[in-house]
Short mmCIF file of all heavy atoms in Angstrom, two decimals:
data_model
loop_
_atom_site.label_atom_id
_atom_site.label_comp_id
_atom_site.label_asym_id
_atom_site.label_seq_id
_atom_site.Cartn_x
_atom_site.Cartn_y
_atom_site.Cartn_z
N GLY A 299 18.71 6.36 -12.31
CA GLY A 299 19.71 6.79 -13.31
C GLY A 299 20.40 5.61 -13.95
O GLY A 299 20.03 4.41 -13.79
N SER A 300 21.41 5.94 -14.75
CA SER A 300 22.11 4.95 -15.57
C SER A 300 23.61 5.09 -15.41
O SER A 300 24.11 6.21 -15.13
CB SER A 300 21.77 5.12 -17.05
OG SER A 300 20.38 4.92 -17.30
N LEU A 301 24.30 3.96 -15.61
CA LEU A 301 25.75 3.94 -15.71
C LEU A 301 26.16 2.91 -16.69
O LEU A 301 25.42 1.89 -16.91
CB LEU A 301 26.40 3.55 -14.34
CG LEU A 301 26.62 4.60 -13.27
CD1 LEU A 301 27.21 3.95 -12.00
CD2 LEU A 301 27.51 5.71 -13.78
N ARG A 302 27.32 3.09 -17.30
CA ARG A 302 27.86 2.04 -18.19
C ARG A 302 29.23 1.68 -17.69
O ARG A 302 30.14 2.50 -17.62
CB ARG A 302 27.95 2.55 -19.63
CG ARG A 302 28.32 1.41 -20.59
CD ARG A 302 28.39 1.86 -22.04
NE ARG A 302 29.58 2.61 -22.33
CZ ARG A 302 30.02 2.83 -23.59
NH1 ARG A 302 29.33 2.32 -24.62
NH2 ARG A 302 31.06 3.53 -23.81
N LEU A 303 29.37 0.41 -17.35
CA LEU A 303 30.65 -0.12 -16.93
C LEU A 303 31.39 -0.68 -18.16
O LEU A 303 30.73 -1.22 -19.04
CB LEU A 303 30.47 -1.19 -15.87
CG LEU A 303 29.71 -0.82 -14.63
CD1 LEU A 303 29.68 -1.96 -13.65
CD2 LEU A 303 30.25 0.43 -14.02
N SER A 304 32.72 -0.67 -18.09
CA SER A 304 33.52 -1.24 -19.14
C SER A 304 34.44 -2.28 -18.57
O SER A 304 34.93 -2.13 -17.44
CB SER A 304 34.35 -0.17 -19.86
OG SER A 304 33.52 0.79 -20.47
N CYS A 305 34.74 -3.29 -19.34
CA CYS A 305 35.68 -4.33 -18.98
C CYS A 305 36.64 -4.51 -20.15
O CYS A 305 36.16 -4.94 -21.22
CB CYS A 305 34.98 -5.65 -18.64
SG CYS A 305 36.05 -7.06 -18.33
N GLU A 306 37.85 -4.16 -19.97
CA GLU A 306 38.83 -4.13 -21.08
C GLU A 306 40.02 -4.97 -20.78
O GLU A 306 40.44 -5.15 -19.63
CB GLU A 306 39.23 -2.69 -21.35
CG GLU A 306 40.10 -2.48 -22.54
CD GLU A 306 40.43 -1.00 -22.80
OE1 GLU A 306 39.99 -0.18 -21.98
OE2 GLU A 306 41.11 -0.71 -23.81
N ALA A 307 40.57 -5.57 -21.82
CA ALA A 307 41.84 -6.30 -21.68
C ALA A 307 42.71 -6.01 -22.90
O ALA A 307 42.21 -5.74 -23.98
CB ALA A 307 41.60 -7.82 -21.51
N SER A 308 43.99 -6.12 -22.70
CA SER A 308 44.93 -5.80 -23.77
C SER A 308 45.23 -7.04 -24.69
O SER A 308 45.70 -6.89 -25.81
CB SER A 308 46.22 -5.22 -23.28
OG SER A 308 46.82 -6.17 -22.39
N GLU A 309 44.96 -8.23 -24.16
CA GLU A 309 45.29 -9.42 -24.91
C GLU A 309 44.37 -9.61 -26.12
O GLU A 309 43.10 -9.48 -25.98
CB GLU A 309 45.20 -10.67 -23.99
CG GLU A 309 46.18 -10.66 -22.86
CD GLU A 309 45.72 -9.90 -21.62
OE1 GLU A 309 44.62 -9.28 -21.68
OE2 GLU A 309 46.43 -9.92 -20.62
N PHE A 310 44.94 -9.94 -27.28
CA PHE A 310 44.11 -10.07 -28.44
C PHE A 310 43.15 -11.27 -28.37
O PHE A 310 42.15 -11.31 -29.11
CB PHE A 310 44.97 -10.23 -29.71
CG PHE A 310 45.59 -11.62 -29.85
CD1 PHE A 310 44.99 -12.58 -30.66
CD2 PHE A 310 46.79 -11.96 -29.21
CE1 PHE A 310 45.57 -13.83 -30.87
CE2 PHE A 310 47.34 -13.22 -29.37
CZ PHE A 310 46.70 -14.15 -30.18
N THR A 311 43.40 -12.19 -27.41
CA THR A 311 42.56 -13.35 -27.27
C THR A 311 41.28 -13.09 -26.42
O THR A 311 40.45 -13.93 -26.25
CB THR A 311 43.34 -14.48 -26.54
OG1 THR A 311 43.90 -13.97 -25.32
CG2 THR A 311 44.48 -15.01 -27.44
N PHE A 312 41.20 -11.83 -26.01
CA PHE A 312 40.03 -11.45 -25.13
C PHE A 312 38.72 -11.81 -25.77
O PHE A 312 37.78 -12.26 -25.11
CB PHE A 312 40.11 -9.95 -24.85
CG PHE A 312 39.08 -9.46 -23.85
CD1 PHE A 312 39.13 -9.81 -22.50
CD2 PHE A 312 38.11 -8.56 -24.27
CE1 PHE A 312 38.19 -9.34 -21.61
CE2 PHE A 312 37.15 -8.06 -23.38
CZ PHE A 312 37.23 -8.44 -22.06
N LYS A 313 38.62 -11.66 -27.08
CA LYS A 313 37.35 -11.92 -27.80
C LYS A 313 36.95 -13.36 -27.79
O LYS A 313 35.81 -13.67 -28.10
CB LYS A 313 37.46 -11.41 -29.25
CG LYS A 313 38.51 -12.13 -30.06
CD LYS A 313 38.54 -11.53 -31.47
CE LYS A 313 39.62 -12.16 -32.31
NZ LYS A 313 39.67 -11.49 -33.68
N TYR A 314 37.81 -14.25 -27.44
CA TYR A 314 37.54 -15.69 -27.41
C TYR A 314 37.05 -16.15 -26.02
O TYR A 314 36.79 -17.31 -25.85
CB TYR A 314 38.73 -16.51 -27.82
CG TYR A 314 39.19 -16.16 -29.21
CD1 TYR A 314 40.49 -15.70 -29.48
CD2 TYR A 314 38.35 -16.37 -30.31
CE1 TYR A 314 40.89 -15.41 -30.74
CE2 TYR A 314 38.77 -16.09 -31.59
CZ TYR A 314 40.05 -15.60 -31.80
OH TYR A 314 40.45 -15.31 -33.08
N TYR A 315 37.00 -15.23 -25.04
CA TYR A 315 36.61 -15.56 -23.70
C TYR A 315 35.16 -15.11 -23.45
O TYR A 315 34.74 -14.08 -23.95
CB TYR A 315 37.51 -14.87 -22.68
CG TYR A 315 38.83 -15.52 -22.50
CD1 TYR A 315 39.85 -15.28 -23.45
CD2 TYR A 315 39.15 -16.29 -21.42
CE1 TYR A 315 41.07 -15.86 -23.34
CE2 TYR A 315 40.41 -16.82 -21.25
CZ TYR A 315 41.36 -16.64 -22.23
OH TYR A 315 42.63 -17.20 -22.09
N ALA A 316 34.44 -15.92 -22.68
CA ALA A 316 33.18 -15.43 -22.11
C ALA A 316 33.49 -14.47 -20.98
O ALA A 316 34.46 -14.70 -20.22
CB ALA A 316 32.32 -16.59 -21.58
N ILE A 317 32.71 -13.44 -20.87
CA ILE A 317 32.95 -12.42 -19.79
C ILE A 317 31.75 -12.34 -18.93
O ILE A 317 30.60 -12.16 -19.37
CB ILE A 317 33.24 -11.03 -20.42
CG1 ILE A 317 34.45 -11.10 -21.35
CG2 ILE A 317 33.41 -10.00 -19.34
CD1 ILE A 317 35.73 -11.49 -20.65
N GLY A 318 32.00 -12.53 -17.65
CA GLY A 318 30.97 -12.43 -16.66
C GLY A 318 31.08 -11.15 -15.83
O GLY A 318 32.14 -10.62 -15.64
N TRP A 319 29.92 -10.61 -15.45
CA TRP A 319 29.89 -9.48 -14.55
C TRP A 319 29.31 -9.98 -13.25
O TRP A 319 28.31 -10.70 -13.19
CB TRP A 319 28.96 -8.36 -15.08
CG TRP A 319 29.62 -7.53 -16.17
CD1 TRP A 319 29.44 -7.71 -17.50
CD2 TRP A 319 30.52 -6.49 -16.00
NE1 TRP A 319 30.22 -6.75 -18.18
CE2 TRP A 319 30.87 -6.00 -17.25
CE3 TRP A 319 31.10 -5.82 -14.87
CZ2 TRP A 319 31.78 -4.94 -17.48
CZ3 TRP A 319 31.95 -4.76 -15.08
CH2 TRP A 319 32.31 -4.27 -16.34
N PHE A 320 29.94 -9.53 -12.14
CA PHE A 320 29.54 -9.93 -10.77
C PHE A 320 29.45 -8.66 -9.93
O PHE A 320 30.04 -7.60 -10.28
CB PHE A 320 30.57 -10.88 -10.19
CG PHE A 320 30.63 -12.22 -10.88
CD1 PHE A 320 31.40 -12.35 -12.02
CD2 PHE A 320 29.93 -13.32 -10.39
CE1 PHE A 320 31.45 -13.55 -12.70
CE2 PHE A 320 30.00 -14.53 -11.07
CZ PHE A 320 30.74 -14.65 -12.22
N ARG A 321 28.79 -8.78 -8.81
CA ARG A 321 28.77 -7.68 -7.85
C ARG A 321 28.81 -8.20 -6.45
O ARG A 321 28.35 -9.32 -6.20
CB ARG A 321 27.56 -6.76 -8.09
CG ARG A 321 26.22 -7.43 -7.81
CD ARG A 321 25.09 -6.49 -8.26
NE ARG A 321 23.80 -7.04 -7.96
CZ ARG A 321 22.66 -6.45 -8.35
NH1 ARG A 321 22.70 -5.28 -9.01
NH2 ARG A 321 21.47 -7.06 -8.09
N GLN A 322 29.36 -7.43 -5.55
CA GLN A 322 29.42 -7.82 -4.15
C GLN A 322 29.19 -6.62 -3.29
O GLN A 322 29.94 -5.63 -3.30
CB GLN A 322 30.79 -8.48 -3.83
CG GLN A 322 30.82 -9.13 -2.47
CD GLN A 322 32.01 -10.04 -2.31
OE1 GLN A 322 33.01 -9.92 -3.00
NE2 GLN A 322 31.93 -10.91 -1.33
N ALA A 323 28.12 -6.69 -2.49
CA ALA A 323 27.80 -5.65 -1.54
C ALA A 323 28.42 -6.02 -0.20
O ALA A 323 28.65 -7.22 0.07
CB ALA A 323 26.32 -5.47 -1.41
N PRO A 324 28.64 -5.06 0.71
CA PRO A 324 29.22 -5.37 1.99
C PRO A 324 28.39 -6.40 2.78
O PRO A 324 27.18 -6.30 2.85
CB PRO A 324 29.17 -4.03 2.71
CG PRO A 324 29.26 -3.00 1.63
CD PRO A 324 28.44 -3.60 0.48
N GLY A 325 29.05 -7.44 3.23
CA GLY A 325 28.38 -8.45 4.03
C GLY A 325 27.65 -9.50 3.21
O GLY A 325 26.98 -10.35 3.81
N LYS A 326 27.73 -9.38 1.89
CA LYS A 326 26.99 -10.32 1.03
C LYS A 326 27.93 -11.12 0.16
O LYS A 326 29.11 -10.68 -0.09
CB LYS A 326 25.98 -9.57 0.15
CG LYS A 326 24.87 -8.89 0.99
CD LYS A 326 23.79 -8.38 0.06
CE LYS A 326 22.61 -7.80 0.84
NZ LYS A 326 21.53 -7.30 -0.09
N GLU A 327 27.48 -12.22 -0.36
CA GLU A 327 28.26 -13.05 -1.25
C GLU A 327 28.32 -12.37 -2.64
O GLU A 327 27.45 -11.56 -3.00
CB GLU A 327 27.66 -14.44 -1.38
CG GLU A 327 27.72 -15.25 -0.10
CD GLU A 327 27.36 -16.70 -0.30
OE1 GLU A 327 26.91 -17.07 -1.40
OE2 GLU A 327 27.42 -17.45 0.68
N ARG A 328 29.37 -12.75 -3.38
CA ARG A 328 29.49 -12.28 -4.71
C ARG A 328 28.41 -12.88 -5.61
O ARG A 328 28.21 -14.10 -5.59
CB ARG A 328 30.87 -12.60 -5.27
CG ARG A 328 31.23 -11.88 -6.56
CD ARG A 328 32.71 -11.95 -6.87
NE ARG A 328 33.54 -11.28 -5.81
CZ ARG A 328 34.83 -11.01 -5.98
NH1 ARG A 328 35.46 -11.43 -7.00
NH2 ARG A 328 35.47 -10.38 -5.01
N GLU A 329 27.72 -12.03 -6.37
CA GLU A 329 26.52 -12.43 -7.12
C GLU A 329 26.78 -12.31 -8.61
O GLU A 329 27.28 -11.26 -9.08
CB GLU A 329 25.33 -11.50 -6.72
CG GLU A 329 24.10 -11.74 -7.56
CD GLU A 329 23.07 -10.64 -7.34
OE1 GLU A 329 23.38 -9.60 -6.80
OE2 GLU A 329 21.87 -10.85 -7.69
N GLY A 330 26.44 -13.32 -9.39
CA GLY A 330 26.52 -13.23 -10.83
C GLY A 330 25.44 -12.34 -11.39
O GLY A 330 24.30 -12.52 -11.07
N VAL A 331 25.81 -11.41 -12.24
CA VAL A 331 24.88 -10.44 -12.79
C VAL A 331 24.58 -10.75 -14.24
O VAL A 331 23.39 -10.71 -14.65
CB VAL A 331 25.45 -9.00 -12.66
CG1 VAL A 331 24.58 -7.99 -13.40
CG2 VAL A 331 25.61 -8.63 -11.20
N SER A 332 25.62 -11.01 -15.05
CA SER A 332 25.44 -11.22 -16.47
C SER A 332 26.63 -12.01 -17.02
O SER A 332 27.72 -11.99 -16.41
CB SER A 332 25.28 -9.86 -17.17
OG SER A 332 25.15 -10.07 -18.58
N CYS A 333 26.41 -12.64 -18.17
CA CYS A 333 27.49 -13.28 -18.84
C CYS A 333 27.27 -13.23 -20.35
O CYS A 333 26.11 -13.47 -20.78
CB CYS A 333 27.65 -14.74 -18.38
SG CYS A 333 29.04 -15.59 -19.09
N VAL A 334 28.29 -12.88 -21.09
CA VAL A 334 28.22 -12.85 -22.53
C VAL A 334 29.27 -13.80 -23.15
O VAL A 334 30.42 -13.75 -22.77
CB VAL A 334 28.37 -11.44 -23.09
CG1 VAL A 334 29.72 -10.78 -22.67
CG2 VAL A 334 28.22 -11.39 -24.61
N SER A 335 28.84 -14.67 -24.02
CA SER A 335 29.73 -15.67 -24.62
C SER A 335 30.55 -15.02 -25.74
O SER A 335 30.23 -13.93 -26.21
CB SER A 335 28.94 -16.81 -25.19
OG SER A 335 28.25 -17.52 -24.14
N PRO A 336 31.59 -15.70 -26.18
CA PRO A 336 32.37 -15.19 -27.33
C PRO A 336 31.49 -15.05 -28.54
O PRO A 336 30.58 -15.87 -28.79
CB PRO A 336 33.41 -16.23 -27.49
CG PRO A 336 33.56 -16.94 -26.22
CD PRO A 336 32.22 -16.88 -25.62
N SER A 337 31.70 -13.98 -29.33
CA SER A 337 30.87 -13.72 -30.48
C SER A 337 30.97 -14.86 -31.47
O SER A 337 29.97 -15.12 -32.23
CB SER A 337 31.37 -12.43 -31.18
OG SER A 337 31.33 -11.32 -30.25
N SER A 338 32.08 -15.53 -31.58
CA SER A 338 32.28 -16.56 -32.53
C SER A 338 31.71 -17.91 -32.12
O SER A 338 31.76 -18.88 -32.87
CB SER A 338 33.82 -16.77 -32.80
OG SER A 338 34.43 -17.05 -31.59
N SER A 339 31.10 -17.96 -30.95
CA SER A 339 30.61 -19.19 -30.39
C SER A 339 29.12 -19.29 -30.56
O SER A 339 28.41 -18.35 -30.93
CB SER A 339 30.99 -19.32 -28.91
OG SER A 339 30.17 -18.50 -28.12
N SER A 340 28.56 -20.44 -30.20
CA SER A 340 27.13 -20.62 -30.16
C SER A 340 26.51 -20.35 -28.80
O SER A 340 25.34 -20.59 -28.59
CB SER A 340 26.80 -22.08 -30.59
OG SER A 340 27.41 -22.98 -29.71
N GLY A 341 27.36 -19.90 -27.91
CA GLY A 341 26.88 -19.61 -26.53
C GLY A 341 25.97 -18.42 -26.45
O GLY A 341 25.95 -17.58 -27.36
N GLY A 342 25.26 -18.35 -25.33
CA GLY A 342 24.29 -17.29 -25.15
C GLY A 342 24.74 -16.17 -24.22
O GLY A 342 25.87 -16.10 -23.78
N THR A 343 23.78 -15.28 -23.97
CA THR A 343 23.96 -14.18 -23.05
C THR A 343 22.91 -14.35 -21.95
O THR A 343 21.71 -14.64 -22.25
CB THR A 343 23.79 -12.86 -23.74
OG1 THR A 343 24.77 -12.70 -24.78
CG2 THR A 343 23.95 -11.69 -22.76
N TYR A 344 23.32 -14.22 -20.68
CA TYR A 344 22.46 -14.50 -19.56
C TYR A 344 22.52 -13.35 -18.53
O TYR A 344 23.51 -12.66 -18.42
CB TYR A 344 22.82 -15.83 -18.90
CG TYR A 344 22.83 -16.98 -19.90
CD1 TYR A 344 24.00 -17.40 -20.47
CD2 TYR A 344 21.63 -17.58 -20.27
CE1 TYR A 344 24.01 -18.44 -21.38
CE2 TYR A 344 21.65 -18.62 -21.19
CZ TYR A 344 22.83 -19.08 -21.74
OH TYR A 344 22.83 -20.07 -22.65
N TYR A 345 21.37 -13.21 -17.82
CA TYR A 345 21.24 -12.20 -16.81
C TYR A 345 20.63 -12.82 -15.53
O TYR A 345 19.81 -13.71 -15.62
CB TYR A 345 20.33 -11.05 -17.30
CG TYR A 345 20.82 -10.34 -18.50
CD1 TYR A 345 20.46 -10.73 -19.78
CD2 TYR A 345 21.69 -9.24 -18.36
CE1 TYR A 345 20.91 -10.04 -20.90
CE2 TYR A 345 22.18 -8.56 -19.49
CZ TYR A 345 21.76 -9.00 -20.73
OH TYR A 345 22.26 -8.33 -21.83
#
């Protein structure tokens, strides 16, 4: 199946931040899942 998660912030500066998604299962370390750079930057998106 599918799910869509949302990450929201009220600060207008939110768009200037890179946003990472992480996950942590019981007994395991926190794992990086994805990262999206600010739209105005030359940065990339990673998985």
